Amino acid sequence: MNTTIIEHLACLEINNLILQPPFQLISNIQWNDKGLSFDGDIELYSSDIRKTDFNGRVPVQVKGTTTQKKQHKKSKIKHSVNKKDLEVYYKDGSGVLYFVVTINPKTYDRQAYYRILAPLDLKGLLDNLKLMEMIQLPYLLKSSIMEI
C-alpha cells in the first residue's frame, strides 16, 4: 500500500474520532503535511464552537502503519519515535498528542492508538535516550477521542 494512502487513511481515522458528539473538538490535522514534526492540532471548546468557549489547542502527530491482522486483540502496541522529533516536541513546550493508526491493507480496517507526551515525559525520554536515535513507546487503543 502506498505511503500517501496510508497517511490519508490514518488522518481520516483520527478526524473521524474527533468529529463526534458533543462536537467540542475541531481538527486542524493536515493531509500530506510537510511541517516540522507536527501534523496539526485539535482545538478544544467548553461547549459551543465559538470564540468565547475556546479552551486551547493540542498539538498532534499522526503516524499510519500497516498490519496483516484484522484487529489487534491487545489494548497496546509499540511504535518507534525518532529522537529528533522528541526534541522538537520538547522545545515547543506544550508536548504532543501522538497517534498511531494501524491499517489492514486487505480490508482497510483501522485502529487508532495514542500516547500523550507531556513536556516532563519528553524530558525524561530525552534524558534516557542519550546516544540512541530511536525509541519504542507503548500506545493505548482509542475508540473515542473524548476519552482522552
Side-chain angles (χ1 to χ4, degrees):
M1 186 183 298
N2 181 294
T3 57
T4 302
I5 300 301
I6 293 169
E7 179 185 345
H8 277 68
L9 287 171
C11 289
L12 180 63
E13 180 66 14
I14 299 306
N15 283 319
N16 284 338
L17 289 171
I18 292 168
L19 188 60
Q20 299 289 323
F23 302 110
Q24 294 173 317
L25 305 173
I26 296 292
S27 172
N28 294 312
I29 297 172
Q30 304 297 313
W31 308 57
N32 285 335
D33 180 61
K34 302 297 179 213
L36 187 58
S37 291
F38 300 98
D39 286 329
D41 60 58
I42 300 171
E43 294 177 7
L44 312 168
Y45 294 86
S46 58
S47 58
D48 294 328
I49 298 174
R50 58 182 178 207
K51 290 179 184 180
T52 56
D53 292 330
F54 179 73
N55 283 341
R57 296 174 195 249
V58 177
V60 174
Q61 177 64 42
V62 179
K63 292 293 183 188
T65 185
T66 57
T67 181
Q68 296 301 321
K69 298 177 183 177
K70 287 185 180 178
Q71 285 195 326
H72 285 281
K73 304 236 188 275
K74 299 178 184 177
S75 60
K76 289 183 183 179
I77 62 166
K78 287 197 173 197
H79 186 77
S80 296
V81 181
N82 189 301
K83 180 180 179 181
K84 290 179 178 154
D85 287 324
L86 293 174
E87 290 169 344
V88 170
Y89 305 145
Y90 180 70
K91 288 176 185 176
D92 183 64
S94 54
V96 65
L97 179 54
Y98 200 107
F99 290 101
V100 176
V101 179
T102 60
I103 303 162
N104 182 304
K106 293 179 184 170
T107 64
Y108 304 109
D109 287 339
R110 301 179 296 265
Q111 282 184 290
Y113 296 82
Y114 78 98
R115 171 96 187 224
I116 298 170
L117 293 171
L120 286 176
D121 298 324
L122 292 163
K123 173 113 176 73
L125 289 170
L126 289 168
D127 288 346
N128 290 331
L129 271 172
K130 305 283 184 216
L131 300 175
M132 295 188 315
E133 292 299 315
M134 299 284 279
I135 187 169
Q136 287 260 328
L137 298 176
Y139 295 81
L140 299 173
L141 178 64
K142 201 40 35 222
S143 60
S144 167
I145 197 84
M146 294 303 285
E147 294 174 15
I148 298 174

